[in-house]
Amino acid sequence: MENIIKDFLSRFYSVSERPALEAQIELFSTESFLKGKKVLDATPVFRNTLNKYLVMLACGMDLTVGYGGKIPYDAEIVAFLRSIGVRTVENGTADETFDFVLDCAGVNADVETEYGVSELTRSGFYQYQDKNKKVFLADSSRIKSIETALGTGDGFLRAMQKLGYGDLRGRKIIIFGCGKVGFGVAMYCAENGADVYAVDDWQNRSVPHKFHMVSRFDRRQIDDLTADAFCVVSATGIYGGLTQTLDLQKLVKSDALIANIGVEDEFAGLISKKRILNDNQPLNFILEEPTHLKFIDPTMALHNAGMKILFNAADGEKFILPDEKINDFYLNIVRKHGIINKELDMLEKYSCQE
Ligand SMILES: NC(=O)c1ccc[n+]([C@@H]2O[C@H](COP(=O)([O-])OP(=O)(O)OC[C@H]3O[C@@H](n4cnc5c(N)ncnc54)[C@H](O)[C@@H]3O)[C@@H](O)[C@H]2O)c1
């Protein structure tokens, strides 16, 4: 099974795109604590997720893959997994006890587990608040911003290129929400010569000089800016997030491209999905690989590493955050053996600017 996956993946990826997972295979397969343990992995199932399962299989774990149940997935990859004998189950429906659950958005919050849960997203945190379980929160890490900021920013740019809008030089781009994802989009747009306006609540935060800071409460400035924008991007992550923030009817009539990079409908149905690129789905999801493996590899490794942390955690612990040591461990591997040093430098450069 492992070799079939490896052969399949070798058609698409080089080892340098998954340095953290590759190192983890070496590291974990020499330890016996995972051997024979049952794991349910609910990471969204796409082609690049297969790289993650190689770690579990190399350790001799009993792997079940969770798919769907509000988490996007590639049905062809689920079919491929089944065809080679990997057990799959719809998220939220497993009725057996697993040693570990590697969850996403808390969709398996009710599944029984022996050692605990490693959770991939922030929204999963809320699902586990009232559960009596040990939970490792992979989202609360510097590593995660490699995926969310760099990976999504890169995916946004590649999607714009695919649609024929890749030349951003001198173009005015207004980004609503400058959290991890919006920041990454802003960074890639600025690096490619765009005139970037970042709209958020800036009372306690600042952004790099390369972006213009716009208060989300300055309705007049926002409406003036969007009137002649090249592209308006929503990245608040909130359903209906933009309905009170700008004049949507004016936006619809303008020439601006409208793109959503978040997973919610930030326009709450007030704009026809046909007026929004990719029918209001996250723009990078028009790509075969929405987030390149090279950016998601350390996040996947950290999510897996949660199993070791849970195994060694003291009884009574509830939420466990990744510490600096584990962040540095995987970041150093990516720096040394990966191919994203230029992008990591960019992230540091932008994060340091006042
Ligand atoms: N497309 C992808 O591949 C991908 C990857 C990861 C996450 N996401 C999605 O992207 C979205 C954003 O995620 P995030 O991690 O950056 O969230 P976040 O919470 O870190 O950032 C959201 C930002 O939006 C701001 N905001 C809220 N309401 C606003 C408004 N009306 N106007 C302007 N700013 C406002 C907040 O202050 C915050 O800074 C979520 O839907 C997330 O699920 C998409």
Side-chain angles (χ1 to χ4, degrees):
M1 181 186 292
E2 219 179 315
N3 286 337
I4 301 175
I5 296 180
K6 273 189 189 156
D7 280 354
F8 176 73
L9 289 175
S10 67
R11 292 175 16 215
F12 307 100
Y13 305 106
S14 67
V15 172
S16 57
E17 289 173 86
R18 54 161 192 268
L21 289 168
E22 203 62 23
Q24 198 169 54
I25 290 177
E26 287 281 309
L27 195 72
F28 281 13
S29 52
T30 55
E31 305 196 36
S32 57
F33 74 100
L34 294 174
K35 198 167 170 38
K37 297 273 189 316
K38 285 177 70 175
V39 57
L40 171 64
D41 190 339
T43 308
V45 184
F46 289 95
R47 190 179 67 203
N48 57 21
T49 326
L50 296 171
N51 291 282
K52 186 176 193 282
Y53 308 140
L54 287 177
V55 177
M56 271 75 92
L57 295 173
C59 299
M61 292 190 82
D62 179 0
L63 170 69
T64 299
V65 169
Y67 67 94
K70 95 173 186 191
I71 306 293
Y73 65 97
D74 181 333
E76 282 184 26
I77 299 297
V78 173
F80 169 72
L81 285 167
R82 284 184 189 140
S83 74
I84 61 169
V86 176
R87 216 170 323 114
T88 63
V89 63
E90 194 175 339
N91 283 317
T93 66
D95 60 0
E96 56 194 299
T97 302
F98 289 88
D99 289 300
F100 300 99
V101 172
L102 305 184
D103 209 1
C104 177
V107 284
N108 293 295
D110 290 323
V111 173
E112 294 297 325
T113 142
E114 188 69 31
Y115 297 100
V117 179
S118 180
E119 167 58 48
L120 196 54
T121 70
R122 180 72 192 162
S123 48
F125 163 76
Y126 302 107
Q127 305 300 320
Y128 281 102
Q129 260 175 333
D130 61 350
K131 306 280 177 207
N132 186 21
K133 285 181 178 161
K134 253 187 253 172
V135 184
F136 175 73
L137 291 170
D139 184 67
S140 306
S141 63
R142 277 188 283 135
I143 280 178
K144 191 74 193 283
S145 62
I146 298 176
E147 175 201 339
T148 41
L150 291 175
T152 314
D154 166 81
F156 174 84
L157 187 67
R158 286 186 293 121
M160 290 292 274
Q161 285 162 346
K162 183 171 174 170
L163 294 171
Y165 305 123
D167 184 1
L168 302 182
R169 286 171 301 175
R171 311 270 206 188
K172 191 194 274 188
I173 300 193
I174 327 285
I175 299 163
F176 290 87
C178 204
K180 298 179 285 299
V181 169
F183 184 81
V185 172
M187 204 164 51
Y188 272 83
C189 290
E191 282 293 296
N192 285 278
D195 195 14
V196 175
Y197 291 79
V199 184
D200 208 312
D201 178 1
W202 295 118
Q203 279 199 342
N204 301 310
R205 295 164 55 200
S206 61
V207 282
H209 289 310
K210 281 205 170 185
F211 315 155
H212 306 281
M213 241 155 90
V214 179
S215 164
R216 58 176 278 198
F217 305 109
D218 189 343
R219 181 70 183 254
R220 183 183 296 172
Q221 188 190 7
I222 290 171
D223 286 337
D224 284 352
L225 281 170
T226 46
D228 64 348
F230 170 68
C231 184
V232 165
V233 184
S234 58
T236 72
I238 299 170
Y239 176 84
L242 298 197
T243 52
Q244 306 299 317
T245 312
L246 75 160
D247 186 333
L248 293 183
Q249 290 320 310
K250 238 165 128 179
L251 174 65
V252 169
K253 288 185 199 131
S254 74
D255 293 330
L257 299 169
I258 307 174
N260 184 6
I261 194 75
V263 299
E264 303 289 347
D265 176 5
E266 304 198 10
F267 309 95
L270 297 175
I271 297 187
S272 147
K273 64 180 189 178
K274 292 285 160 226
R275 177 67 180 82
I276 304 167
L277 298 176
N278 195 27
D279 292 339
N280 203 10
Q281 294 301 304
L283 186 64
N284 54 329
F285 279 72
I286 62 164
L287 300 164
E288 187 180 43
E289 186 144 303
T291 308
H292 266 320
L293 174 62
K294 62 186 176 180
F295 296 116
I296 214 167
D297 156 72
T299 295
M300 289 182 180
L302 185 67
H303 194 213
N304 288 348
M307 292 189 286
K308 187 169 177 183
I309 289 161
L310 291 163
F311 186 78
N312 292 319
D315 283 345
E317 286 205 55
K318 169 83 177 154
F319 287 117
I320 306 168
L321 303 181
D323 58 18
E324 287 303 300
K325 209 169 136 204
I326 194 162
N327 266 292
D328 288 346
F329 178 78
Y330 286 106
L331 282 174
N332 287 340
I333 291 170
V334 173
R335 277 272 182 205
K336 199 162 168 202
H337 301 290
I339 50 172
I340 56 167
N341 279 342
K342 195 164 66 76
E343 290 88 344
L344 290 173
D345 290 344
M346 178 171 83
L347 186 60
E348 273 174 27
K349 183 182 92 182
Y350 273 82
S351 306
C352 292
Q353 284 180 9
E354 277 301 308

mmCIF file of all heavy atoms in Angstrom, residues 155-178:
data_model
loop_
_atom_site.group_PDB
_atom_site.id
_atom_site.type_symbol
_atom_site.label_atom_id
_atom_site.label_comp_id
_atom_site.label_asym_id
_atom_site.label_seq_id
_atom_site.Cartn_x
_atom_site.Cartn_y
_atom_site.Cartn_z
ATOM 1 N N GLY A 155 -1.404 30.685 -3.830
ATOM 2 C CA GLY A 155 -2.548 30.098 -4.551
ATOM 3 C C GLY A 155 -3.419 31.178 -5.182
ATOM 4 O O GLY A 155 -3.906 31.026 -6.303
ATOM 5 N N PHE A 156 -3.591 32.285 -4.474
ATOM 6 C CA PHE A 156 -4.375 33.406 -5.023
ATOM 7 C C PHE A 156 -3.714 33.906 -6.309
ATOM 8 O O PHE A 156 -4.369 34.073 -7.343
ATOM 9 C CB PHE A 156 -4.458 34.541 -3.987
ATOM 10 C CG PHE A 156 -5.120 35.787 -4.511
ATOM 11 C CD1 PHE A 156 -6.508 35.907 -4.494
ATOM 12 C CD2 PHE A 156 -4.379 36.838 -5.039
ATOM 13 C CE1 PHE A 156 -7.136 37.046 -4.997
ATOM 14 C CE2 PHE A 156 -4.992 37.976 -5.542
ATOM 15 C CZ PHE A 156 -6.377 38.075 -5.518
ATOM 16 N N LEU A 157 -2.412 34.108 -6.231
ATOM 17 C CA LEU A 157 -1.698 34.636 -7.404
ATOM 18 C C LEU A 157 -1.766 33.651 -8.578
ATOM 19 O O LEU A 157 -2.043 34.042 -9.722
ATOM 20 C CB LEU A 157 -0.239 34.914 -7.025
ATOM 21 C CG LEU A 157 0.582 35.607 -8.092
ATOM 22 C CD1 LEU A 157 0.088 37.036 -8.316
ATOM 23 C CD2 LEU A 157 2.057 35.643 -7.712
ATOM 24 N N ARG A 158 -1.574 32.372 -8.298
ATOM 25 C CA ARG A 158 -1.626 31.369 -9.383
ATOM 26 C C ARG A 158 -3.022 31.311 -9.995
ATOM 27 O O ARG A 158 -3.177 31.161 -11.211
ATOM 28 C CB ARG A 158 -1.224 29.982 -8.850
ATOM 29 C CG ARG A 158 0.268 29.837 -8.576
ATOM 30 C CD ARG A 158 0.657 28.421 -8.202
ATOM 31 N NE ARG A 158 0.129 27.961 -6.940
ATOM 32 C CZ ARG A 158 -0.657 26.915 -6.767
ATOM 33 N NH1 ARG A 158 -0.999 26.172 -7.809
ATOM 34 N NH2 ARG A 158 -1.101 26.569 -5.572
ATOM 35 N N ALA A 159 -4.046 31.477 -9.156
ATOM 36 C CA ALA A 159 -5.418 31.445 -9.675
ATOM 37 C C ALA A 159 -5.676 32.669 -10.565
ATOM 38 O O ALA A 159 -6.289 32.552 -11.637
ATOM 39 C CB ALA A 159 -6.411 31.411 -8.517
ATOM 40 N N MET A 160 -5.187 33.825 -10.136
ATOM 41 C CA MET A 160 -5.352 35.035 -10.949
ATOM 42 C C MET A 160 -4.621 34.848 -12.293
ATOM 43 O O MET A 160 -5.136 35.219 -13.350
ATOM 44 C CB MET A 160 -4.798 36.270 -10.213
ATOM 45 C CG MET A 160 -5.626 36.700 -9.014
ATOM 46 S SD MET A 160 -7.257 37.355 -9.464
ATOM 47 C CE MET A 160 -6.874 39.067 -9.783
ATOM 48 N N GLN A 161 -3.451 34.246 -12.238
ATOM 49 C CA GLN A 161 -2.701 33.999 -13.489
ATOM 50 C C GLN A 161 -3.497 33.067 -14.395
ATOM 51 O O GLN A 161 -3.618 33.296 -15.592
ATOM 52 C CB GLN A 161 -1.329 33.389 -13.167
ATOM 53 C CG GLN A 161 -0.353 34.416 -12.624
ATOM 54 C CD GLN A 161 0.846 33.795 -11.902
ATOM 55 O OE1 GLN A 161 0.847 32.609 -11.577
ATOM 56 N NE2 GLN A 161 1.850 34.611 -11.626
ATOM 57 N N LYS A 162 -4.062 32.028 -13.799
ATOM 58 C CA LYS A 162 -4.823 31.055 -14.598
ATOM 59 C C LYS A 162 -6.007 31.738 -15.300
ATOM 60 O O LYS A 162 -6.378 31.374 -16.421
ATOM 61 C CB LYS A 162 -5.320 29.935 -13.675
ATOM 62 C CG LYS A 162 -6.059 28.848 -14.404
ATOM 63 C CD LYS A 162 -6.361 27.660 -13.529
ATOM 64 C CE LYS A 162 -7.232 26.677 -14.325
ATOM 65 N NZ LYS A 162 -7.394 25.407 -13.688
ATOM 66 N N LEU A 163 -6.597 32.723 -14.633
ATOM 67 C CA LEU A 163 -7.760 33.411 -15.215
ATOM 68 C C LEU A 163 -7.356 34.542 -16.162
ATOM 69 O O LEU A 163 -8.224 35.237 -16.705
ATOM 70 C CB LEU A 163 -8.635 33.975 -14.086
ATOM 71 C CG LEU A 163 -9.316 32.929 -13.191
ATOM 72 C CD1 LEU A 163 -9.975 33.597 -11.995
ATOM 73 C CD2 LEU A 163 -10.346 32.140 -13.988
ATOM 74 N N GLY A 164 -6.043 34.754 -16.302
ATOM 75 C CA GLY A 164 -5.579 35.802 -17.219
ATOM 76 C C GLY A 164 -5.445 37.166 -16.563
ATOM 77 O O GLY A 164 -5.303 38.180 -17.250
ATOM 78 N N TYR A 165 -5.462 37.203 -15.224
ATOM 79 C CA TYR A 165 -5.333 38.477 -14.502
ATOM 80 C C TYR A 165 -4.025 38.550 -13.725
ATOM 81 O O TYR A 165 -3.938 39.203 -12.689
ATOM 82 C CB TYR A 165 -6.499 38.653 -13.518
ATOM 83 C CG TYR A 165 -7.877 38.560 -14.125
ATOM 84 C CD1 TYR A 165 -8.805 37.633 -13.659
ATOM 85 C CD2 TYR A 165 -8.258 39.417 -15.165
ATOM 86 C CE1 TYR A 165 -10.080 37.543 -14.208
ATOM 87 C CE2 TYR A 165 -9.524 39.326 -15.720
ATOM 88 C CZ TYR A 165 -10.424 38.386 -15.236
ATOM 89 O OH TYR A 165 -11.675 38.309 -15.784
ATOM 90 N N GLY A 166 -3.023 37.876 -14.202
ATOM 91 C CA GLY A 166 -1.783 37.742 -13.434
ATOM 92 C C GLY A 166 -0.918 38.991 -13.392
ATOM 93 O O GLY A 166 -0.082 39.123 -12.507
ATOM 94 N N ASP A 167 -1.111 39.921 -14.339
ATOM 95 C CA ASP A 167 -0.280 41.129 -14.325
ATOM 96 C C ASP A 167 -0.895 42.147 -13.366
ATOM 97 O O ASP A 167 -1.868 42.830 -13.703
ATOM 98 C CB ASP A 167 -0.186 41.712 -15.738
ATOM 99 C CG ASP A 167 0.750 42.912 -15.774
ATOM 100 O OD1 ASP A 167 1.324 43.246 -14.704
ATOM 101 O OD2 ASP A 167 0.914 43.518 -16.847
ATOM 102 N N LEU A 168 -0.323 42.257 -12.175
ATOM 103 C CA LEU A 168 -0.906 43.113 -11.132
ATOM 104 C C LEU A 168 -0.201 44.460 -11.026
ATOM 105 O O LEU A 168 -0.553 45.283 -10.181
ATOM 106 C CB LEU A 168 -0.822 42.391 -9.775
ATOM 107 C CG LEU A 168 -1.502 41.017 -9.685
ATOM 108 C CD1 LEU A 168 -1.375 40.451 -8.273
ATOM 109 C CD2 LEU A 168 -2.979 41.108 -10.066
ATOM 110 N N ARG A 169 0.788 44.708 -11.885
ATOM 111 C CA ARG A 169 1.581 45.936 -11.744
ATOM 112 C C ARG A 169 0.727 47.192 -11.797
ATOM 113 O O ARG A 169 -0.031 47.387 -12.759
ATOM 114 C CB ARG A 169 2.652 45.996 -12.835
ATOM 115 C CG ARG A 169 3.794 45.014 -12.568
ATOM 116 C CD ARG A 169 4.705 44.925 -13.739
ATOM 117 N NE ARG A 169 3.964 44.473 -14.935
ATOM 118 C CZ ARG A 169 4.482 44.393 -16.141
ATOM 119 N NH1 ARG A 169 5.734 44.734 -16.345
ATOM 120 N NH2 ARG A 169 3.762 43.970 -17.166
ATOM 121 N N GLY A 170 0.843 47.985 -10.745
ATOM 122 C CA GLY A 170 0.131 49.263 -10.689
ATOM 123 C C GLY A 170 -1.373 49.132 -10.481
ATOM 124 O O GLY A 170 -2.094 50.132 -10.458
ATOM 125 N N ARG A 171 -1.875 47.931 -10.323
ATOM 126 C CA ARG A 171 -3.323 47.724 -10.148
ATOM 127 C C ARG A 171 -3.728 47.939 -8.686
ATOM 128 O O ARG A 171 -3.019 47.500 -7.778
ATOM 129 C CB ARG A 171 -3.705 46.293 -10.526
ATOM 130 C CG ARG A 171 -3.169 45.851 -11.845
ATOM 131 C CD ARG A 171 -4.137 46.177 -12.931
ATOM 132 N NE ARG A 171 -3.948 45.263 -14.039
ATOM 133 C CZ ARG A 171 -4.557 45.390 -15.205
ATOM 134 N NH1 ARG A 171 -5.390 46.378 -15.411
ATOM 135 N NH2 ARG A 171 -4.341 44.517 -16.165
ATOM 136 N N LYS A 172 -4.885 48.521 -8.514
ATOM 137 C CA LYS A 172 -5.363 48.774 -7.151
ATOM 138 C C LYS A 172 -6.150 47.554 -6.648
ATOM 139 O O LYS A 172 -7.154 47.167 -7.238
ATOM 140 C CB LYS A 172 -6.277 50.008 -7.169
ATOM 141 C CG LYS A 172 -6.606 50.503 -5.774
ATOM 142 C CD LYS A 172 -7.755 51.482 -5.809
ATOM 143 C CE LYS A 172 -7.290 52.889 -6.071
ATOM 144 N NZ LYS A 172 -8.411 53.855 -5.915
ATOM 145 N N ILE A 173 -5.662 46.976 -5.566
ATOM 146 C CA ILE A 173 -6.320 45.779 -5.000
ATOM 147 C C ILE A 173 -6.726 46.079 -3.555
ATOM 148 O O ILE A 173 -5.895 46.509 -2.744
ATOM 149 C CB ILE A 173 -5.389 44.557 -5.070
ATOM 150 C CG1 ILE A 173 -5.044 44.292 -6.539
ATOM 151 C CG2 ILE A 173 -6.032 43.331 -4.411
ATOM 152 C CD1 ILE A 173 -4.408 42.998 -6.860
ATOM 153 N N ILE A 174 -7.997 45.881 -3.260
ATOM 154 C CA ILE A 174 -8.505 46.165 -1.907
ATOM 155 C C ILE A 174 -8.781 44.822 -1.233
ATOM 156 O O ILE A 174 -9.586 44.026 -1.742
ATOM 157 C CB ILE A 174 -9.841 46.957 -1.931
ATOM 158 C CG1 ILE A 174 -9.925 47.917 -3.112
ATOM 159 C CG2 ILE A 174 -10.102 47.628 -0.599
ATOM 160 C CD1 ILE A 174 -9.118 49.147 -3.010
ATOM 161 N N ILE A 175 -8.129 44.598 -0.106
ATOM 162 C CA ILE A 175 -8.294 43.309 0.589
ATOM 163 C C ILE A 175 -9.016 43.537 1.915
ATOM 164 O O ILE A 175 -8.544 44.310 2.765
ATOM 165 C CB ILE A 175 -6.923 42.646 0.813
ATOM 166 C CG1 ILE A 175 -6.272 42.384 -0.553
ATOM 167 C CG2 ILE A 175 -7.067 41.332 1.592
ATOM 168 C CD1 ILE A 175 -4.808 42.119 -0.513
ATOM 169 N N PHE A 176 -10.149 42.872 2.066
ATOM 170 C CA PHE A 176 -10.925 43.006 3.305
ATOM 171 C C PHE A 176 -10.568 41.866 4.250
ATOM 172 O O PHE A 176 -10.774 40.703 3.932
ATOM 173 C CB PHE A 176 -12.429 42.996 3.000
ATOM 174 C CG PHE A 176 -12.872 44.253 2.300
ATOM 175 C CD1 PHE A 176 -12.808 44.367 0.925
ATOM 176 C CD2 PHE A 176 -13.327 45.333 3.040
ATOM 177 C CE1 PHE A 176 -13.180 45.537 0.284
ATOM 178 C CE2 PHE A 176 -13.707 46.502 2.415
ATOM 179 C CZ PHE A 176 -13.633 46.608 1.035
ATOM 180 N N GLY A 177 -10.008 42.233 5.393
ATOM 181 C CA GLY A 177 -9.569 41.223 6.352
ATOM 182 C C GLY A 177 -8.098 40.955 6.131
ATOM 183 O O GLY A 177 -7.702 40.417 5.092
ATOM 184 N N CYS A 178 -7.274 41.371 7.086
ATOM 185 C CA CYS A 178 -5.831 41.162 6.934
ATOM 186 C C CYS A 178 -5.335 40.271 8.079
ATOM 187 O O CYS A 178 -4.409 40.602 8.798
ATOM 188 C CB CYS A 178 -5.099 42.501 6.907
ATOM 189 S SG CYS A 178 -3.514 42.418 6.070
#
